[in-house]
Amino acid sequence: MNTVKNISFFVIISFILNLISYYLESNFLLEFLSSNLIIILLTLLAINTATTGLLSIKMAELETKFNDLDFKSTYIEMKFSLKEQIILIILSLLVLIINDSKLIDFEFKNFIIGTFLTTIFIYAIDILRDTGISVFKLLELVSDINKLKWKLNK
């Protein structure tokens, strides 16, 4: 349910950004995303994959040290975020193909395509934000464990 709420929010933000672009008669957003979105998404996927890999190693170490820690739901979420990013890349390709098609043309095509691409872009940035939050939560957990160990050793 949270994912649907987030996507709805991203669509609204994207719609507003594209509406502003439309009324300002600016093609910057559509041109920028059309030219760069796939590269940006692949870069974010690479960052997310490397980060989740490092997080997985640290979580496995913690599970080995402390048997009562269980990161199963975290592993599932990390795997889901990677799947989300792959789906976003595929959706981007499909939307960009439709955008470039000479056979598919309809009123407000640029506006609708721009809204889709902007939504995908914002969604990908949110996945990166979520991964960043996970890093800080794990660092906080390690810090709390170290403080507890220090207090127990006093």
Side-chain angles (χ1 to χ4, degrees):
M1 187 63 174
N2 201 28
T3 303
V4 173
K5 180 187 72 141
N6 287 346
I7 292 171
S8 299
F9 179 70
F10 302 152
V11 169
I12 291 168
I13 295 298
S14 299
F15 182 83
I16 291 169
L17 285 172
N18 280 279
L19 199 59
I20 291 168
S21 292
Y22 176 79
Y23 282 114
L24 292 176
E25 297 180 15
S26 171
N27 291 325
F28 171 77
L29 192 56
L30 179 62
E31 289 174 7
F32 175 78
L33 292 175
S34 294
S35 299
N36 301 303
L37 186 59
I38 299 298
I39 294 166
I40 292 168
L41 293 176
L42 289 170
T43 303
L44 291 175
L45 177 61
I47 292 167
N48 197 25
T49 302
T51 305
T52 55
L54 292 172
L55 286 171
S56 296
I57 291 168
K58 189 61 181 173
M59 290 185 305
E61 288 174 8
L62 290 171
E63 284 179 329
T64 302
K65 281 185 182 177
F66 306 98
N67 293 332
D68 54 335
L69 286 178
D70 181 20
F71 291 108
K72 185 175 181 173
S73 63
T74 306
Y75 291 126
I76 291 168
E77 284 298 317
M78 289 165 52
K79 188 176 176 182
F80 180 70
S81 77
L82 295 174
K83 286 179 183 177
E84 282 177 309
Q85 286 184 292
I86 292 167
I87 290 168
L88 290 177
I89 292 168
I90 293 167
L91 284 174
S92 295
L93 286 170
L94 292 173
V95 172
L96 289 168
I97 289 168
I98 292 169
N99 186 45
D100 196 50
S101 173
K102 307 290 185 254
L103 299 176
I104 301 173
D105 197 26
F106 49 89
E107 192 173 2
F108 298 110
K109 177 180 174 181
N110 285 345
F111 184 84
I112 293 168
I113 296 291
T115 300
F116 272 112
L117 295 176
T118 307
T119 301
I120 291 168
F121 178 69
I122 293 171
Y123 196 158
I125 296 296
D126 186 62
I127 292 170
L128 182 65
R129 179 199 59 80
D130 191 47
T131 302
I133 288 171
S134 299
V135 170
F136 289 112
K137 284 183 177 181
L138 185 61
L139 289 173
E140 189 177 302
L141 176 63
V142 170
S143 175
D144 290 346
I145 289 170
N146 287 334
K147 286 177 189 174
L148 184 60
K149 283 183 0 185
W150 184 79
K151 285 180 183 180
L152 293 174
N153 290 331
K154 272 184 133 182

